Amino acid sequence: MTINERVAAWTEAELGVEGKVLDVVRAPAQVLSVPGEDVDPTAPEIIQLAADLIATMRVSPGCVGLAADQVGVSARIFCVDVSTHVKTKTHHGTYVLCNAEVVEASRNEKAREGCMSVPDLTGDVKRASRLKVRGQLPVTGETVEIVADAFEARCLQHEIDHTDGLLFIDRVAGAHALHQRQTYL
């Protein structure tokens, strides 16, 4: 897998604003089931939202990604950082994508997922383990392509689903694939 050096070098300092921690919306909130609107990645309110998403993700234990709908905003923007997760093989660090879409996907695998907006459940979801995603970086609006595998690929698809108004529970094969979240001390 080839790492996109521009994305890997991106930092939240490029946003130039301080992020605020926002409340996370839980299902069945309507905003979670509505496709988000495309955004202007150079707009000041989107740049602030990008910073807020990162700040909220950072204070949320175990969180590796957060989409705008999860903080009550119907917009096609999310942040990702899988760098410290045990299942991560390769990654691009912390980044925010606007108006992201899957360009290529292959090698479907089933694995367990959870979500801050569905805090009591996890589910077995089949997703591509190799992925190419195209999106725009906040502030500059430059278009980037990310080739991801394994856990980062799964996380990207999960967050893009959020921007499309879908939760992981919409992707499970049935009730047998849903599980009560386990809490470990």
Side-chain angles (χ1 to χ4, degrees):
M1 188 193 82
T2 305
I3 298 292
N4 180 314
E5 295 301 327
R6 172 63 181 111
V7 176
W10 187 90
T11 70
E12 58 239 64
E14 292 184 39
L15 298 171
V17 294
E18 189 75 26
K20 297 180 292 295
V21 175
L22 304 175
D23 291 333
V24 174
V25 174
R26 292 184 176 189
Q30 182 66 28
V31 69
L32 296 171
S33 60
V34 176
E37 297 289 325
D38 282 348
V39 300
D40 173 358
T42 66
E45 66 274 12
I46 296 302
I47 294 166
Q48 182 64 58
L49 179 57
D52 296 346
L53 288 171
I54 291 173
T56 305
M57 177 180 67
R58 293 241 190 272
V59 300
S60 305
C63 184
V64 294
L66 193 66
D69 68 335
Q70 293 182 275
V71 295
V73 180
S74 184
R76 296 186 56 78
I77 177 175
F78 61 84
C79 66
V80 168
D81 183 0
V82 300
S83 62
T84 60
H85 196 278
V86 66
K87 292 181 183 175
T88 298
K89 292 183 179 180
T90 57
H91 65 84
H92 289 81
T94 303
Y95 54 94
V96 175
L97 287 181
C98 301
N99 309 318
E101 61 184 353
V102 174
V103 178
E104 294 175 17
S106 63
R107 295 190 182 178
N108 284 342
E109 294 178 2
K110 188 174 4 176
R112 189 72 53 95
E113 290 186 21
C115 180
M116 289 180 56
S117 294
V118 188
D120 299 326
L121 296 173
T122 61
D124 300 324
V125 181
K126 189 179 277 192
R127 296 200 189 265
S129 64
R130 295 253 172 123
L131 195 70
K132 181 187 285 187
V133 169
R134 181 180 300 124
Q136 296 170 288
L137 295 175
V139 179
T140 64
E142 65 193 286
T143 299
V144 293
E145 284 192 348
I146 296 173
V147 176
D149 65 3
F151 192 67
E152 186 175 40
R154 177 167 295 278
C155 183
L156 281 165
Q157 290 165 93
H158 181 108
E159 299 309 327
I160 290 171
D161 272 359
H162 274 298
T163 68
D164 290 335
L166 296 170
L167 295 170
F168 79 89
I169 56 178
D170 298 315
R171 296 271 188 199
V172 297
H176 67 280
L178 287 173
H179 311 278
Q180 287 294 316
R181 183 181 292 275
Q182 300 297 310
T183 304
Y184 302 100
L185 300 177

